[in-house]
Amino acid sequence: MSEDEVVELVEPSLPDCQPGWTARHTGLLFAVLVSVVALVWGIGGAMSPPPPGDRLMLDALPEPAWTTQLAEGESAEGVGVDLIVIRERRLGAAGAAVRGIEAATGEVLWRHVVRGNGRVDVRDLPGTVWIAVQVGSEVTLLDRLTGETHKRFRLPEGEWGPSWFGSGDKGSFVMIVPMYADAGRVLSVTRLAAPDPTAVVWTREVPLAPAVAVALRDPEVIERDGLLLLRAAGQQRGTLWYATALRSDDGGRQAWADGDRFAVAGDAAVSARRGRLEGYDLRTGRRLWQLKPAPGLVFGSGGVLLVQAAGELRRVDPYSGRTQWVARMDGLYTRMAVDDDQLIVYQGAQTIFPDRGTTTADAGSNLVRALDLATGREVWRVATPSPVLDVIVGTNHLVVRMYNPHERRPAFEVAAVRLDGTISWLWRDDADSWSLTRLGRHLATIGPDGELTVWG
């Protein structure tokens, strides 16, 4: 399953909590991490049934691929699949240090120092050989393998927010500048020429609709069918909806993308506009169908289109709008993942993993369900011991992370759920803190003391 197959409908407003933490990891962390790595990437390892207590026994203890220490004010992020960049988040008198590390080995490939005014952002430029380091409105393009400077240029200053530079997933350079116009706040979207990002191809103004404002926090541009589709990044958490669509050749806006947000399923775009749900051909813009009134929350994954309303979930043909099946639901499921022939649904809690090993969580539900993707019939359901944070779809298992902020002594729990709904093992961390994240295609932990560990 790819990260693009994970989708999210809403984030419910639930009470925040601040869990307490201790300072160090124990061997429990190492045991659970090797199991997660084995499940997600298919690294085999036989497991014996968990003994009494909270320890999970494995045939062998794992070994980290490599570790490094993050200094105060440093953070790490995956750039593409093969590069990890460690950067200072703020500029000092001597600038901010940025270093590129080979994700598999931990080898430092290059070092670079940036200067300017503002926060330091490092951004992947997919479809190119470069990465972008942005400090305020100044952008530097670096070779991802050598760190050599390709180009340095300055973006126009945004009038009501910071300007943004990045690329589509196939290499088209895009610049977004927040501006004021007669109609109010807009985004000036410019396609720039590659390899020269200072050459303008076209510029178009996009009104600041609610979905566009959300996507602007961390934009991502998808290129397909002659269009540039703007959405919010962070698809591993499942924000798979789009905010606007522009023609890649001349920047022309698509009328069907003028609603709040839209989904894409196969070669169809599905938009809720003027109280109706409408399907459009992505290539031609021709309206294929409409439903009155708009029946609820919509999402797409691959060629699958689903609509969730109060008490039911429908699979809808994206090209005709006809209902393929209806499943009765006992609540609103905010997260869904397509795993081969099963649809995994759960109400996940919001989690925030900052740079230094702390976590904020709110409450979710403790139920995970699987529906047959062809019929909508329930295949299995499992009640987890604690509310679910999120689910990672692995090899023949789901790795379910849980946390109950309302317990007297909140603790993280991790369970491995087989694809028949049975729990094969359960681990509870009653003593220690941990921050589990992904850097590209690698699992990593960042301890409270700043130690970054990348697992094999």
Side-chain angles (χ1 to χ4, degrees), residues 51-351:
D54 63 353
R55 290 184 179 274
L56 171 67
M57 304 301 294
L58 301 176
D59 285 347
L61 290 176
E63 293 291 338
W66 53 271
T67 64
T68 190
Q69 190 70 30
L70 299 183
E72 187 67 33
E74 283 190 329
S75 65
E77 55 194 277
V79 178
V81 298
D82 54 1
L83 184 67
I84 293 174
V85 173
I86 296 176
R87 61 180 173 86
E88 292 180 293
R89 295 189 297 277
R90 295 289 178 183
L91 289 159
V98 181
R99 62 186 186 272
I101 297 176
E102 166 62 44
T105 65
E107 176 188 358
V108 177
L109 301 176
W110 49 263
R111 299 176 186 272
H112 187 82
V113 175
V114 294
R115 292 176 172 83
N117 296 307
R119 59 171 286 171
V120 180
D121 290 308
V122 177
R123 198 166 294 124
D124 187 26
L125 299 178
T128 78
V129 298
W130 305 298
I131 65 171
V133 180
Q134 183 172 339
V135 182
S137 60
E138 185 169 294
V139 178
T140 303
L141 302 190
L142 302 178
D143 187 290
R144 66 172 61 235
L145 295 180
T146 66
E148 295 180 358
T149 300
H150 167 69
K151 189 85 172 180
R152 183 178 288 113
F153 57 98
R154 182 173 291 276
L155 303 176
E157 294 287 345
E159 295 180 351
W160 53 267
S163 299
W164 179 89
F165 171 83
S167 78
D169 60 334
K170 295 178 181 171
S172 294
F173 286 154
V174 177
M175 175 177 67
I176 301 175
V177 182
M179 304 289 288
Y180 287 106
D182 293 340
R185 294 195 296 175
V186 300
L187 297 182
S188 176
V189 180
T190 301
R191 181 181 174 186
L192 303 168
D196 181 7
T198 60
V200 173
V201 179
W202 49 256
T203 299
R204 292 290 181 270
E205 289 185 352
V206 176
L208 189 67
V212 174
V214 173
L216 184 60
R217 299 173 189 171
D218 191 8
E220 183 175 33
V221 179
I222 305 300
E223 302 179 58
R224 58 165 299 179
D225 297 308
L227 298 173
L228 300 181
L229 305 175
L230 177 68
R231 69 185 185 190
Q235 296 299 312
Q236 69 275 13
R237 292 207 61 239
T239 50
L240 192 53
W241 50 264
Y242 297 84
T244 194
L246 304 176
R247 287 197 301 268
S248 58
D249 56 353
D250 60 5
R253 287 172 51 203
Q254 302 301 292
W256 48 261
D258 287 342
D260 182 23
R261 61 179 64 182
F262 61 93
V264 173
D267 294 323
V270 181
S271 172
R273 304 175 67 237
R274 298 185 294 274
R276 299 191 299 265
L277 192 66
E278 300 176 337
Y280 291 85
D281 188 301
L282 266 180
R283 295 187 177 92
T284 66
R286 181 174 63 91
R287 190 173 70 184
L288 302 174
W289 53 268
Q290 66 176 346
L291 296 175
K292 298 180 182 180
L297 302 168
V298 182
F299 72 88
S301 177
V304 178
L305 175 66
L306 295 112
V307 177
Q308 186 174 198
E312 67 177 28
L313 177 70
R314 294 174 179 266
R315 181 172 179 180
V316 177
D317 184 279
Y319 305 107
S320 68
R322 294 188 180 92
T323 297
Q324 296 174 307
W325 52 253
V326 180
R328 300 298 302 174
M329 308 296 283
D330 51 3
L332 184 65
Y333 290 84
T334 61
R335 304 278 184 87
M336 303 191 184
V338 175
D339 180 27
D340 295 328
D341 58 353
Q342 291 186 3
L343 175 67
I344 311 299
V345 298
Y346 62 101
Q347 180 183 316
Q350 182 178 2
T351 55

